[in-house]
Amino acid sequence: MKAEKSPIQTVMSWIRRQPPKVKAFFAVVTAMTVLVFLKVIVHEHDNLFIASEAVHALGISLLIYKLTKEKTCAGISLKTQELTALFLAVRLYCSFVMEFDLHTLLDSATLVTTLWVIYMIRLKLRPTYMEDKDNFPIYYVVVPCAVVSLLIHPSTRHHIINRLFWAFCVYLEAVSVLPQLRVMQNTQIVEPFTAHYVFALGIARFLSCAHWILQVLDSGGRLLTALGYGLWPIMVLLSEIVQTFILADFCYYYVQSLMGGQLVVRRSLSLYGSSFLLRFHDYIQL
């Protein structure tokens, strides 16, 4: 006798059968609902950014557990870890020379753990590294981010080099997960801890995006003026939204798989960028 589905499973199954436009509508409505909920319960919205960094650190901790306990780095993108270390290092530099605060300490801890993951993949667990699957050319993201940072950067009173670095790390963070998604596309099987890590990145990106949106709303738009003039404030918000959008599809199917008790999940993601279109299907083994 077939097991009876729970109401949540029934709703998720119904949503899965809907066309992409309907799914996109529900995604927007869900995101707006969560934003309203966060606005009501979180009075100090800077805590959302701290929570974002904490969730990112939790995701790195899951990778560390995988590397130390399972002695394998299969399914992990070394390039994503290197891009993460790069934008964290640049952001730390900006923090030290522009504004030293709690975020500087959190970023320092995340950078140290990310460097440790890189060390384990490159040296200790190199035989298990899927180098042929981790084939996303990183210059596809580094070069465009550098070029855009030259064209669009903060208009504050800081030194021009610091402003360029600030813009570069914002743009690079938005797309640093792309190599990891390419690995998932190529392997078509994602191990549990890697899936948990990518899901944690998705939650972290959403919290960071929510932080900026709510800050702008609370300030009546004055925060955008404080960030500078021109296109830079818009690019900051756009970068946050892009980060969230890249991982939104993964997070949806991740939650769906947990609720539905499925072992293998098929998903597709479309990312529209200024110079490329990335479409892929992958399977998550949870």
Side-chain angles (χ1 to χ4, degrees):
M1 185 176 179
K2 190 175 181 179
E4 187 175 339
K5 290 184 177 181
S6 68
I8 295 178
Q9 291 175 327
T10 302
V11 172
M12 296 293 286
S13 298
W14 179 82
I15 293 177
R16 186 173 64 251
R17 296 193 300 269
Q18 302 309 304
K21 290 183 178 180
V22 175
K23 291 180 180 179
F25 171 76
F26 280 114
V28 172
V29 171
T30 301
M32 293 178 64
T33 302
V34 175
L35 278 176
V36 172
F37 177 73
L38 291 175
K39 181 175 177 59
V40 172
I41 67 170
V42 181
H43 300 291
E44 180 54 56
H45 295 148
D46 193 53
N47 291 336
L48 291 175
F49 196 72
I50 296 175
S52 169
E53 293 173 315
V55 173
H56 187 178
L58 176 61
I60 294 292
S61 299
L62 293 173
L63 284 188
I64 291 176
Y65 181 86
K66 169 187 170 66
L67 295 175
T68 54
K69 295 298 182 181
E70 299 185 358
K71 304 298 182 182
T72 176
C73 60
I76 300 177
S77 169
L78 173 62
K79 292 181 179 180
T80 280
Q81 298 306 311
E82 290 175 338
L83 290 175
T84 300
L86 178 57
F87 84 71
L88 283 173
V90 175
R91 192 160 72 186
L92 274 173
Y93 165 79
C94 294
S95 295
F96 278 116
V97 301
M98 300 170 73
E99 184 181 21
F100 187 93
D101 55 17
L102 176 60
H103 304 297
T104 306
L105 299 177
L106 293 173
D107 281 343
S108 298
T110 305
L111 176 59
V112 169
T113 53
T114 301
L115 291 175
W116 186 86
V117 171
I118 293 173
Y119 164 76
M120 291 294 290
I121 296 175
R122 279 196 170 276
L123 299 178
K124 294 295 185 179
L125 302 175
R126 184 75 185 192
T128 63
Y129 171 49
M130 299 178 175
E131 187 172 2
D132 59 323
K133 305 297 184 182
D134 194 10
N135 57 6
F136 188 96
I138 59 175
Y139 58 83
Y140 277 13
V141 293
V142 174
V143 174
C145 288
V147 172
V148 176
S149 65
L150 288 172
L151 300 175
I152 306 174
H153 49 265
S155 55
T156 57
R157 297 181 179 179
H158 301 95
H159 192 278
I160 182 62
I161 297 299
N162 298 334
R163 288 186 279 140
L164 291 176
F165 279 166
W166 182 5
F168 177 72
C169 72
V170 168
Y171 300 145
L172 186 60
E173 181 182 12
V175 293
S176 60
V177 75
L178 288 179
Q180 179 63 61
L181 297 180
R182 177 56 60 85
V183 171
M184 292 157 56
Q185 172 196 6
N186 291 337
T187 61
Q188 298 190 346
I189 291 293
V190 180
E191 296 181 346
F193 285 108
T194 306
H196 301 332
Y197 163 70
V198 177
F199 178 71
L201 287 184
I203 297 300
R205 298 295 192 256
F206 177 79
L207 291 173
S208 178
C209 184
H211 160 261
W212 282 106
I213 292 176
L214 294 180
Q215 289 281 65
V216 170
L217 292 177
D218 285 350
S219 65
R222 292 188 300 274
L223 178 62
L224 294 178
T225 305
L227 290 174
Y229 55 84
L231 293 176
W232 168 245
I234 297 175
M235 289 298 291
V236 172
L237 288 178
L238 182 61
S239 297
E240 294 290 339
I241 293 172
V242 166
Q243 294 180 65
T244 305
F245 175 72
I246 288 175
L247 289 167
D249 189 72
F250 177 91
C251 291
Y252 165 75
Y253 283 100
Y254 176 91
V255 172
Q256 183 187 66
S257 65
L258 290 182
M259 291 183 174
Q262 301 174 13
L263 293 178
V264 179
V265 179
R266 178 182 184 276
R267 75 184 185 95
S268 61
L269 171 68
S270 299
L271 170 62
Y272 295 88
S274 58
S275 60
F276 60 90
L277 170 64
L278 176 61
R279 289 180 177 273
F280 64 89
H281 299 81
D282 55 37
Y283 297 81
I284 307 166
Q285 181 177 335
L286 298 172

